[in-house]
Amino acid sequence: MMDDLSSLREKFLEELYRTGDLAGLEDLRVRYLGKKGLLTNQIKELGSLPADQRKQAGSVINETKAFVEREIGLKRAALKDKELREKFASESLDITLPGSYCAPGKLHPVTQVLNEITSIFISMGFSVEEGPEVELDYYNFEALNIPKDHPARDMQDTFYIENEIVMRTHTSPVQVRVMQKSKPPLKFIAPGKVYRCDADISHTPMFHQIEGLMVDEGISFSHLKAVLENFLRSFFGTGVPVRFRPSYFPFTEPSAEVDIGCIFCGGQGCKTCKGSGWIEILGAGMVNPKVFEMAGHNPEKYSGFAFGMGIERITMIKYSIDDIRLFFENDLRFLGQF
Ligand code: PHE
Protein backbone atom coordinates (compact mmCIF):
# COMPACT_ATOMS: atom_id res chain seq x y z
CA MET A 1 0.00 0.00 0.00
CA MET A 2 2.83 2.42 0.79
CA ASP A 3 4.29 1.83 -2.68
CA ASP A 4 0.88 2.42 -4.22
CA LEU A 5 0.61 5.72 -2.40
CA SER A 6 4.01 6.98 -3.44
CA SER A 7 3.40 6.12 -7.11
CA LEU A 8 -0.07 7.72 -6.83
CA ARG A 9 1.59 10.85 -5.57
CA GLU A 10 4.05 10.89 -8.48
CA LYS A 11 1.31 10.24 -11.02
CA PHE A 12 -0.73 13.07 -9.47
CA LEU A 13 2.17 15.53 -9.70
CA GLU A 14 2.77 14.65 -13.31
CA GLU A 15 -0.91 15.11 -14.23
CA LEU A 16 -1.08 18.31 -12.24
CA TYR A 17 1.84 19.63 -14.20
CA ARG A 18 0.09 18.92 -17.51
CA THR A 19 -3.20 20.54 -16.44
CA GLY A 20 -3.55 23.91 -18.21
CA ASP A 21 -6.98 25.21 -17.27
CA LEU A 22 -9.51 25.33 -14.44
CA ALA A 23 -11.86 22.78 -16.01
CA GLY A 24 -9.03 20.25 -16.34
CA LEU A 25 -8.04 20.92 -12.75
CA GLU A 26 -11.57 20.16 -11.54
CA ASP A 27 -11.48 16.84 -13.44
CA LEU A 28 -8.22 16.03 -11.75
CA ARG A 29 -9.62 16.86 -8.32
CA VAL A 30 -12.65 14.61 -8.85
CA ARG A 31 -10.42 11.83 -10.11
CA TYR A 32 -8.32 11.85 -6.91
CA LEU A 33 -10.55 13.24 -4.19
CA GLY A 34 -14.08 12.55 -5.49
CA LYS A 35 -16.42 9.86 -4.02
CA LYS A 36 -14.89 7.24 -6.29
CA GLY A 37 -11.53 9.00 -6.48
CA LEU A 38 -8.19 7.20 -6.37
CA LEU A 39 -7.32 8.44 -2.88
CA THR A 40 -10.84 7.85 -1.60
CA ASN A 41 -10.52 4.22 -2.74
CA GLN A 42 -7.31 3.88 -0.73
CA ILE A 43 -9.12 5.06 2.40
CA LYS A 44 -11.84 2.46 1.79
CA GLU A 45 -9.17 -0.23 1.53
CA LEU A 46 -7.79 0.68 4.97
CA GLY A 47 -10.34 -1.60 6.63
CA SER A 48 -8.88 -4.68 4.92
CA LEU A 49 -5.40 -4.03 6.32
CA PRO A 50 -4.13 -5.83 9.38
CA ALA A 51 -4.68 -3.71 12.55
CA ASP A 52 -0.98 -3.01 13.20
CA GLN A 53 -0.47 -1.48 9.71
CA ARG A 54 -3.76 0.44 9.67
CA LYS A 55 -2.64 3.37 11.82
CA GLN A 56 0.51 4.16 9.90
CA ALA A 57 -1.16 3.68 6.53
CA GLY A 58 -4.02 5.95 7.67
CA SER A 59 -1.68 8.78 8.56
CA VAL A 60 0.21 8.48 5.22
CA ILE A 61 -3.10 8.57 3.32
CA ASN A 62 -4.23 11.63 5.27
CA GLU A 63 -0.92 13.30 4.64
CA THR A 64 -1.16 12.47 0.89
CA LYS A 65 -4.72 13.74 0.78
CA ALA A 66 -3.68 17.03 2.43
CA PHE A 67 -0.80 17.29 -0.03
CA VAL A 68 -3.12 16.76 -3.04
CA GLU A 69 -5.61 19.29 -1.70
CA ARG A 70 -2.89 21.90 -1.13
CA GLU A 71 -1.34 21.39 -4.56
CA ILE A 72 -4.71 21.66 -6.28
CA GLY A 73 -5.42 24.84 -4.29
CA LEU A 74 -2.13 26.41 -5.34
CA LYS A 75 -2.59 25.43 -8.96
CA ARG A 76 -6.16 26.81 -8.94
CA ALA A 77 -4.91 30.17 -7.71
CA ALA A 78 -2.18 30.19 -10.36
CA LEU A 79 -4.62 29.28 -13.16
CA LYS A 80 -7.13 31.92 -12.05
CA ASP A 81 -4.39 34.49 -12.06
CA LYS A 82 -3.26 33.39 -15.54
CA GLU A 83 -6.82 33.54 -16.92
CA LEU A 84 -7.31 37.01 -15.51
CA ARG A 85 -4.08 38.22 -17.06
CA GLU A 86 -5.08 36.81 -20.44
CA LYS A 87 -8.48 38.47 -20.18
CA PHE A 88 -6.90 41.83 -19.36
CA ALA A 89 -4.46 41.50 -22.24
CA SER A 90 -7.16 40.67 -24.78
CA GLU A 91 -9.46 43.46 -23.64
CA SER A 92 -6.84 46.14 -23.19
CA LEU A 93 -7.09 49.49 -24.93
CA ASP A 94 -4.01 51.41 -26.00
CA ILE A 95 -4.99 54.96 -25.14
CA THR A 96 -1.70 56.28 -26.53
CA LEU A 97 -2.71 55.33 -30.10
CA PRO A 98 -3.59 58.44 -32.15
CA GLY A 99 -7.36 58.64 -32.89
CA SER A 100 -8.83 58.99 -36.36
CA TYR A 101 -9.01 62.68 -37.38
CA CYS A 102 -12.42 64.30 -37.45
CA ALA A 103 -12.40 67.73 -39.09
CA PRO A 104 -14.37 70.27 -37.05
CA GLY A 105 -17.21 72.04 -38.87
CA LYS A 106 -17.05 75.77 -39.58
CA LEU A 107 -19.52 78.53 -40.23
CA HIS A 108 -20.05 79.35 -43.90
CA PRO A 109 -18.17 82.56 -44.88
CA VAL A 110 -21.49 84.26 -45.68
CA THR A 111 -22.77 83.38 -42.19
CA GLN A 112 -19.53 84.65 -40.64
CA VAL A 113 -19.81 88.02 -42.40
CA LEU A 114 -23.52 88.23 -41.63
CA ASN A 115 -22.79 87.63 -37.94
CA GLU A 116 -20.01 90.22 -37.97
CA ILE A 117 -22.21 92.90 -39.60
CA THR A 118 -25.08 92.07 -37.24
CA SER A 119 -22.91 92.48 -34.16
CA ILE A 120 -21.64 95.89 -35.37
CA PHE A 121 -25.23 97.15 -35.66
CA ILE A 122 -26.21 95.58 -32.34
CA SER A 123 -23.32 97.52 -30.76
CA MET A 124 -24.97 100.70 -32.15
CA GLY A 125 -28.25 99.80 -30.46
CA PHE A 126 -30.08 98.18 -33.40
CA SER A 127 -32.34 95.19 -32.79
CA VAL A 128 -32.85 92.30 -35.24
CA GLU A 129 -36.11 91.59 -37.09
CA GLU A 130 -37.20 89.00 -39.63
CA GLY A 131 -39.78 88.71 -42.38
CA PRO A 132 -41.09 85.96 -44.69
CA GLU A 133 -39.20 84.87 -47.82
CA VAL A 134 -42.45 84.10 -49.61
CA GLU A 135 -43.96 87.58 -49.63
CA LEU A 136 -47.04 89.40 -50.83
CA ASP A 137 -46.59 91.55 -53.90
CA TYR A 138 -48.05 94.28 -51.69
CA TYR A 139 -45.14 94.30 -49.21
CA ASN A 140 -42.41 93.59 -51.75
CA PHE A 141 -43.51 96.36 -54.15
CA GLU A 142 -46.77 98.22 -53.61
CA ALA A 143 -46.20 99.47 -50.03
CA LEU A 144 -42.66 100.44 -50.99
CA ASN A 145 -44.01 102.86 -53.60
CA ILE A 146 -43.48 100.49 -56.53
CA PRO A 147 -46.93 100.19 -58.17
CA LYS A 148 -47.71 97.55 -60.82
CA ASP A 149 -46.68 99.64 -63.82
CA HIS A 150 -43.57 101.11 -62.17
CA PRO A 151 -40.38 100.74 -64.26
CA ALA A 152 -38.44 99.83 -61.07
CA ARG A 153 -40.12 96.40 -61.18
CA ASP A 154 -37.92 95.65 -64.19
CA MET A 155 -34.77 96.22 -62.10
CA GLN A 156 -35.51 93.01 -60.20
CA ASP A 157 -36.35 89.80 -62.03
CA THR A 158 -39.04 88.49 -59.74
CA PHE A 159 -39.94 84.85 -59.10
CA TYR A 160 -43.74 84.69 -58.93
CA ILE A 161 -45.47 82.01 -56.85
CA GLU A 162 -48.93 83.25 -57.78
CA ASN A 163 -50.30 86.48 -59.14
CA GLU A 164 -49.99 88.41 -55.87
CA ILE A 165 -47.35 86.24 -54.16
CA VAL A 166 -43.62 86.48 -54.87
CA MET A 167 -40.29 85.29 -53.54
CA ARG A 168 -39.10 88.53 -51.94
CA THR A 169 -36.59 90.29 -54.19
CA HIS A 170 -35.11 92.31 -51.31
CA THR A 171 -35.37 92.63 -47.52
CA SER A 172 -37.10 96.05 -47.76
CA PRO A 173 -40.61 94.57 -47.21
CA VAL A 174 -39.55 93.96 -43.59
CA GLN A 175 -39.43 97.78 -43.19
CA VAL A 176 -43.17 97.95 -43.87
CA ARG A 177 -44.12 94.87 -41.82
CA VAL A 178 -42.33 96.20 -38.72
CA MET A 179 -43.64 99.76 -39.18
CA GLN A 180 -47.19 98.38 -39.41
CA LYS A 181 -46.99 96.51 -36.13
CA SER A 182 -44.91 98.93 -34.04
CA LYS A 183 -44.77 102.65 -33.39
CA PRO A 184 -41.55 104.69 -33.68
CA PRO A 185 -38.91 105.04 -32.38
CA LEU A 186 -37.66 102.11 -34.50
CA LYS A 187 -34.07 101.03 -34.92
CA PHE A 188 -33.52 97.59 -36.39
CA ILE A 189 -31.77 95.53 -39.01
CA ALA A 190 -33.39 92.64 -40.92
CA PRO A 191 -31.03 90.04 -42.38
CA GLY A 192 -32.27 87.24 -44.63
CA LYS A 193 -32.46 85.44 -47.97
CA VAL A 194 -33.75 87.14 -51.11
CA TYR A 195 -34.46 85.79 -54.60
CA ARG A 196 -33.99 87.07 -58.13
CA CYS A 197 -34.12 85.24 -61.46
CA ASP A 198 -30.52 85.97 -62.36
CA ALA A 199 -27.37 83.85 -62.62
CA ASP A 200 -23.82 84.72 -63.64
CA ILE A 201 -20.40 85.32 -62.08
CA SER A 202 -21.80 87.97 -59.71
CA HIS A 203 -25.46 86.88 -59.38
CA THR A 204 -27.16 83.79 -57.94
CA PRO A 205 -30.95 83.21 -57.78
CA MET A 206 -30.76 83.28 -53.98
CA PHE A 207 -28.53 85.56 -51.96
CA HIS A 208 -28.54 87.42 -48.64
CA GLN A 209 -29.24 91.01 -47.73
CA ILE A 210 -29.27 93.07 -44.56
CA GLU A 211 -31.88 95.79 -44.37
CA GLY A 212 -31.70 98.61 -41.85
CA LEU A 213 -34.30 101.10 -40.67
CA MET A 214 -34.19 103.92 -38.13
CA VAL A 215 -37.31 106.03 -37.57
CA ASP A 216 -38.05 108.71 -34.98
CA GLU A 217 -38.85 112.39 -34.74
CA GLY A 218 -36.06 114.52 -36.17
CA ILE A 219 -33.98 111.83 -37.92
CA SER A 220 -31.93 113.47 -40.68
CA PHE A 221 -29.50 112.54 -43.42
CA SER A 222 -26.62 113.25 -41.04
CA HIS A 223 -27.81 110.36 -38.83
CA LEU A 224 -27.77 108.16 -41.92
CA LYS A 225 -24.22 109.25 -42.75
CA ALA A 226 -22.96 108.77 -39.20
CA VAL A 227 -24.42 105.28 -38.78
CA LEU A 228 -23.22 104.02 -42.17
CA GLU A 229 -19.76 105.58 -41.92
CA ASN A 230 -19.33 104.08 -38.47
CA PHE A 231 -20.44 100.67 -39.78
CA LEU A 232 -18.16 100.77 -42.86
CA ARG A 233 -15.12 101.84 -40.82
CA SER A 234 -15.76 99.16 -38.19
CA PHE A 235 -16.04 96.52 -40.88
CA PHE A 236 -13.40 97.55 -43.45
CA GLY A 237 -10.95 99.48 -41.24
CA THR A 238 -10.89 102.90 -39.61
CA GLY A 239 -9.07 104.68 -42.42
CA VAL A 240 -11.30 103.62 -45.30
CA PRO A 241 -12.68 106.54 -47.38
CA VAL A 242 -16.50 106.60 -47.69
CA ARG A 243 -18.51 108.51 -50.28
CA PHE A 244 -22.23 109.04 -50.87
CA ARG A 245 -23.46 109.26 -54.49
CA PRO A 246 -26.97 110.43 -55.41
CA SER A 247 -29.12 107.54 -56.59
CA TYR A 248 -32.74 106.50 -56.90
CA PHE A 249 -34.96 104.05 -55.01
CA PRO A 250 -38.76 104.41 -55.08
CA PHE A 251 -38.99 103.93 -51.29
CA THR A 252 -36.38 106.51 -50.26
CA GLU A 253 -36.07 110.21 -51.05
CA PRO A 254 -33.38 111.42 -51.32
CA SER A 255 -31.50 108.21 -52.12
CA ALA A 256 -27.81 107.41 -52.19
CA GLU A 257 -25.41 104.69 -53.09
CA VAL A 258 -22.50 104.36 -50.72
CA ASP A 259 -18.98 103.52 -51.88
CA ILE A 260 -15.73 102.81 -50.07
CA GLY A 261 -12.29 103.62 -51.44
CA CYS A 262 -10.99 100.49 -53.20
CA ILE A 263 -9.24 98.40 -50.55
CA PHE A 264 -7.19 96.54 -53.19
CA CYS A 265 -5.46 99.44 -54.95
CA GLY A 266 -5.91 102.15 -52.32
CA GLY A 267 -7.87 104.26 -54.84
CA GLN A 268 -5.31 104.10 -57.66
CA GLY A 269 -7.64 102.13 -59.91
CA CYS A 270 -7.52 98.35 -60.48
CA LYS A 271 -9.47 95.42 -61.94
CA THR A 272 -11.75 95.05 -58.90
CA CYS A 273 -12.83 98.71 -58.86
CA LYS A 274 -12.82 98.83 -62.68
CA GLY A 275 -10.30 101.65 -62.58
CA SER A 276 -12.56 103.99 -60.60
CA GLY A 277 -10.82 103.70 -57.21
CA TRP A 278 -14.23 103.14 -55.53
CA ILE A 279 -16.33 100.07 -54.70
CA GLU A 280 -20.10 100.25 -54.29
CA ILE A 281 -21.24 98.70 -51.02
CA LEU A 282 -24.86 99.59 -50.31
CA GLY A 283 -28.02 101.52 -51.14
CA ALA A 284 -29.66 103.93 -48.70
CA GLY A 285 -31.86 106.97 -48.32
CA MET A 286 -34.44 108.86 -46.27
CA VAL A 287 -37.73 106.94 -45.95
CA ASN A 288 -40.13 108.22 -48.62
CA PRO A 289 -43.14 109.99 -46.97
CA LYS A 290 -45.42 107.81 -49.13
CA VAL A 291 -44.02 104.69 -47.40
CA PHE A 292 -44.80 106.21 -43.97
CA GLU A 293 -48.35 106.93 -45.11
CA MET A 294 -48.89 103.37 -46.38
CA ALA A 295 -47.50 101.94 -43.12
CA GLY A 296 -49.85 104.20 -41.11
CA HIS A 297 -47.41 106.77 -39.70
CA ASN A 298 -47.58 110.54 -40.03
CA PRO A 299 -44.72 111.75 -42.30
CA GLU A 300 -45.08 115.24 -40.83
CA LYS A 301 -44.14 113.86 -37.42
CA TYR A 302 -41.66 111.12 -38.23
CA SER A 303 -38.65 110.83 -40.44
CA GLY A 304 -36.12 108.09 -40.86
CA PHE A 305 -33.50 106.41 -42.99
CA ALA A 306 -33.20 102.98 -44.55
CA PHE A 307 -30.35 101.04 -46.08
CA GLY A 308 -29.78 97.67 -47.70
CA MET A 309 -26.72 95.66 -48.65
CA GLY A 310 -25.85 92.32 -50.24
CA ILE A 311 -23.88 89.99 -47.96
CA GLU A 312 -22.30 87.82 -50.67
CA ARG A 313 -21.05 90.97 -52.40
CA ILE A 314 -19.47 92.29 -49.20
CA THR A 315 -17.93 88.88 -48.44
CA MET A 316 -16.45 88.77 -51.97
CA ILE A 317 -14.88 92.20 -51.46
CA LYS A 318 -13.57 91.36 -48.00
CA TYR A 319 -11.92 88.09 -49.10
CA SER A 320 -11.10 88.89 -52.76
CA ILE A 321 -13.44 86.24 -54.18
CA ASP A 322 -14.17 86.72 -57.87
CA ASP A 323 -17.05 84.28 -58.45
CA ILE A 324 -20.21 84.36 -56.30
CA ARG A 325 -21.10 80.78 -57.29
CA LEU A 326 -18.24 79.46 -55.14
CA PHE A 327 -20.40 80.17 -52.06
CA PHE A 328 -22.99 77.62 -53.14
CA GLU A 329 -20.90 74.74 -54.48
CA ASN A 330 -20.04 73.45 -50.99
CA ASP A 331 -16.48 72.63 -52.02
CA LEU A 332 -14.62 72.06 -48.73
CA ARG A 333 -11.35 73.23 -50.29
CA PHE A 334 -13.00 76.62 -50.70
CA LEU A 335 -15.03 76.68 -47.48
CA GLY A 336 -12.09 75.47 -45.37
CA GLN A 337 -10.18 78.71 -46.06
CA PHE A 338 -12.37 80.90 -43.86
N1 PHE B 1 -33.77 97.23 -51.41
C1 PHE B 1 -32.72 97.87 -52.16
C2 PHE B 1 -32.11 96.82 -53.12
O1 PHE B 1 -32.36 95.66 -52.97
C3 PHE B 1 -31.63 98.41 -51.27
C4 PHE B 1 -32.10 99.55 -50.41
C5 PHE B 1 -32.64 99.30 -49.17
C6 PHE B 1 -31.99 100.86 -50.85
C7 PHE B 1 -33.06 100.38 -48.37
C8 PHE B 1 -32.39 101.91 -50.09
C9 PHE B 1 -32.92 101.65 -48.84
O2 PHE B 1 -31.37 97.18 -54.02
Side-chain angles (χ1 to χ4, degrees):
M1 175 164 225
M2 294 301 171
D3 290 349
D4 282 359
L5 277 173
S6 89
S7 69
L8 194 71
R9 204 174 162 124
E10 255 165 52
K11 201 167 147 256
F12 165 75
L13 279 174
E14 194 189 309
E15 284 184 54
L16 185 71
Y17 178 73
R18 277 194 271 110
T19 303
D21 55 34
L22 287 167
L25 188 68
E26 179 60 12
D27 280 351
L28 186 69
R29 188 189 66 79
V30 171
R31 240 166 342 98
Y32 281 85
L33 301 172
K35 268 199 186 132
K36 291 176 184 160
L38 297 169
L39 260 169
T40 320
N41 287 343
Q42 296 281 337
I43 296 168
K44 285 177 190 158
E45 273 172 32
L46 266 181
S48 61
L49 283 182
D52 58 332
Q53 290 178 26
R54 224 180 274 161
K55 196 177 170 200
Q56 203 205 348
S59 87
V60 176
I61 290 177
N62 277 339
E63 198 264 314
T64 309
K65 196 180 163 209
F67 171 79
V68 166
E69 277 170 351
R70 196 172 61 245
E71 287 300 313
I72 286 181
L74 287 173
K75 182 89 179 194
R76 182 180 291 121
L79 285 177
K80 272 193 177 158
D81 194 54
K82 185 173 150 239
E83 274 183 17
L84 203 61
R85 273 170 210 283
E86 279 167 4
K87 194 163 155 13
F88 284 158
S90 72
E91 289 174 3
S92 78
L93 188 69
D94 184 352
I95 57 165
T96 65
L97 278 177
S100 48
Y101 180 67
C102 179
K106 285 183 185 174
L107 291 179
H108 192 280
V110 168
T111 308
Q112 289 183 34
V113 167
L114 204 138
N115 289 349
E116 192 182 338
I117 295 175
T118 301
S119 67
I120 293 173
F121 281 102
I122 285 176
S123 77
M124 289 192 267
F126 283 71
S127 61
V128 179
E129 298 282 348
E130 277 183 355
E133 290 169 30
V134 178
E135 183 57 286
L136 294 173
D137 181 288
Y138 176 78
Y139 286 109
N140 197 80
F141 295 122
E142 215 90 1
L144 289 165
N145 194 31
I146 316 174
K148 287 266 174 345
D149 56 355
H150 198 286
R153 289 209 179 201
D154 292 343
M155 278 164 41
Q156 304 175 353
D157 305 279
T158 312
F159 286 115
Y160 277 86
I161 303 283
E162 279 171 30
N163 219 353
E164 293 299 324
I165 303 175
V166 301
M167 298 304 289
R168 67 177 177 189
T169 58
H170 52 177
T171 42
S172 299
V174 187
Q175 287 184 34
V176 185
R177 284 184 173 273
V178 175
M179 277 199 274
Q180 268 186 356
K181 67 169 195 212
S182 359
K183 280 176 73 179
L186 298 170
K187 197 180 178 191
F188 66 86
I189 54 166
K193 292 182 168 70
V194 299
Y195 301 83
R196 290 180 198 179
C197 186
D198 204 351
D200 60 35
I201 191 166
S202 50
H203 298 88
T204 45
M206 184 281 292
F207 60 102
H208 297 77
Q209 284 190 334
I210 289 189
E211 193 77 12
L213 182 71
M214 182 168 176
V215 176
D216 202 351
E217 292 176 33
I219 298 293
S220 69
F221 203 92
S222 45
H223 293 106
L224 163 66
K225 280 194 79 175
V227 165
L228 290 181
E229 278 179 5
N230 184 51
F231 159 65
L232 290 168
R233 298 206 166 114
S234 305
F235 188 82
F236 288 106
T238 39
V240 75
V242 177
R243 98 180 162 178
F244 289 73
R245 263 182 303 113
S247 186
Y248 172 77
F249 298 102
F251 35 93
T252 49
E253 182 60 32
S255 302
E257 272 169 321
V258 185
D259 302 339
I260 55 165
C262 182
I263 49 175
F264 300 104
C265 61
Q268 300 298 105
C270 68
K271 217 178 80 195
T272 308
C273 62
K274 298 192 184 84
S276 73
W278 295 92
I279 300 177
E280 184 195 318
I281 300 291
L282 52 83
M286 301 307 293
V287 178
N288 191 315
K290 285 190 183 152
V291 175
F292 277 136
E293 271 165 19
M294 278 183 278
H297 297 304
N298 180 3
E300 297 297 325
K301 187 173 178 201
Y302 294 113
S303 57
F305 65 82
F307 57 89
M309 61 190 111
I311 309 301
E312 280 79 358
R313 191 182 148 70
I314 291 178
T315 311
M316 288 168 79
I317 293 163
K318 179 159 182 164
Y319 294 113
S320 269
I321 297 161
D322 56 11
D323 189 338
I324 192 173
R325 291 167 294 199
L326 285 167
F327 290 130
F328 304 106
E329 285 167 359
N330 283 335
D331 185 335
L332 288 177
R333 290 169 300 182
F334 171 75
L335 296 176
Q337 294 176 47
F338 300 92

